[in-house]
Amino acid sequence: MANERLRAALLAKGVGVGDLAEAIQVDPKTVERWVTKDREPYRKHRYAAASYLGVDESYLWPKALSREQVASASESEIITVYPHRWAVPRDAWGHLFEKASQEIGILVYSGTFIHDDKGLMRLLADRAGAGVRVRILLGEPDSAEVAQRGIDENIGDAMRDRCKQAITYFRNLVPGAEIRLHRTVLYNSIFRGDDQLLVNTHAYGQPAGDAPVLHLRRVAGGDMVGLYLGSFEKTWDGAVPLES
């Protein structure tokens, strides 16, 4: 039986068996057996392959780790929990973006607190200029989801106006960023800097700034970070690129 998840991860990254073998320094025939015969690699090779492909080890080889091991590793992914977004130190946001060398991701409706901070916006622009991939997902202002969020928070059309404002700010102040508009129910706002996340959970009827924030860092064998990254990617895939 083939490992279809591993095969799909290779296709998604646009690499072949030989590329993976070279990257993690194993024989290509060994990697071929992982794919075609669903052979289970040694732990160090599982971790190396998962890191190279940008997916979770437990996703590629779900039987390799027990539930207890996955739960323990996932718990280790939690750096800290802030009771409210306004309680997150400003430096935490700066470090998240500043330390990113490969990817920055932002999933919000408007992200007002980000685009109101000139320092953070300048930092995002600098990272994009340095070759870091910066992807920003904003709410489609005229979508039913954004309208409902305004109703839920008792701010009416202000949410739509905030989204329109965000489009202007991010488009003009973060050149080089990829911006898309989404129409999803936003269960969480997600802020990514490589393998670290700040996840702003949402509570019905409450402003996002009052809701808790999880600071997470990917750990081998854990699946919390992968869960939120998967949510980001699904939203990105269904979003519409912002017209220039």
Side-chain angles (χ1 to χ4, degrees):
M1 182 180 296
N3 187 330
E4 296 299 339
R5 291 186 177 185
L6 179 55
R7 192 195 305 277
L10 288 167
L11 290 172
K13 189 173 177 66
V15 299
V17 166
D19 299 304
L20 176 57
E22 181 179 358
I24 65 175
Q25 299 183 337
V26 298
D27 191 298
K29 292 182 179 179
T30 299
V31 178
E32 185 69 33
R33 286 192 289 270
W34 297 349
V35 176
T36 60
K37 298 183 179 181
D38 197 19
R39 296 285 178 84
E40 186 178 301
Y42 291 119
R43 178 69 187 275
K44 67 176 183 178
H45 292 149
R46 294 200 307 267
Y47 176 67
S51 297
Y52 175 74
L53 294 172
V55 296
D56 291 316
E57 175 188 354
S58 57
Y59 171 77
L60 295 176
W61 294 284
K63 297 179 181 179
L65 299 176
S66 67
R67 291 184 178 181
E68 290 76 15
Q69 288 174 312
V70 173
S72 177
S74 298
E75 184 176 345
S76 297
E77 291 185 307
I78 303 172
I79 296 177
T80 191
V81 177
Y82 299 99
H84 311 284
R85 194 185 68 202
W86 53 258
V88 180
R90 196 273 185 184
D91 284 351
W93 301 102
H95 289 156
L96 180 75
F97 299 140
E98 184 179 19
K99 298 300 182 182
S101 61
Q102 296 180 334
E103 174 134 8
I104 289 172
I106 296 175
L107 167 60
V108 292
Y109 273 150
S110 64
T112 303
F113 78 101
I114 295 287
H115 67 66
D116 278 352
D117 188 320
K118 293 183 179 179
L120 289 180
M121 293 294 278
R122 189 177 300 114
L123 179 56
L124 290 172
D126 288 346
R127 300 315 295 148
V132 176
R133 188 184 189 192
V134 178
R135 293 190 290 168
I136 301 172
L137 280 159
L138 302 173
E140 164 57 57
D142 296 320
S143 67
E145 291 76 16
V146 166
Q148 186 61 51
R149 184 59 176 269
I151 293 171
D152 294 342
E153 292 190 16
N154 199 31
I155 58 174
D157 291 339
M159 182 61 70
R160 179 195 62 192
D161 296 338
R162 289 177 187 177
C163 291
K164 290 182 176 180
Q165 185 181 50
I167 291 171
T168 300
Y169 275 108
F170 281 107
R171 175 161 52 190
N172 293 338
L173 299 181
V174 190
E178 302 173 54
I179 302 176
R180 293 187 180 184
L181 304 182
H182 69 93
R183 291 172 169 264
T184 65
V185 175
L186 198 61
Y187 298 107
N188 302 278
S189 295
I190 300 174
F191 307 87
R192 176 187 184 183
D194 289 343
D195 285 341
Q196 293 198 47
L197 302 178
L198 287 170
V199 179
N200 186 188
T201 65
H202 291 177
Y204 175 72
Q206 301 299 319
D210 287 343
V213 171
L214 310 176
H215 187 177
L216 307 176
R217 178 177 54 209
R218 187 193 293 272
V219 170
D223 61 3
M224 286 186 66
V225 170
L227 179 74
Y228 287 111
L229 291 182
S231 176
F232 183 98
E233 293 300 335
K234 187 172 184 178
T235 307
W236 181 262
D237 290 342
V240 178
L242 182 63
E243 296 181 2
S244 58

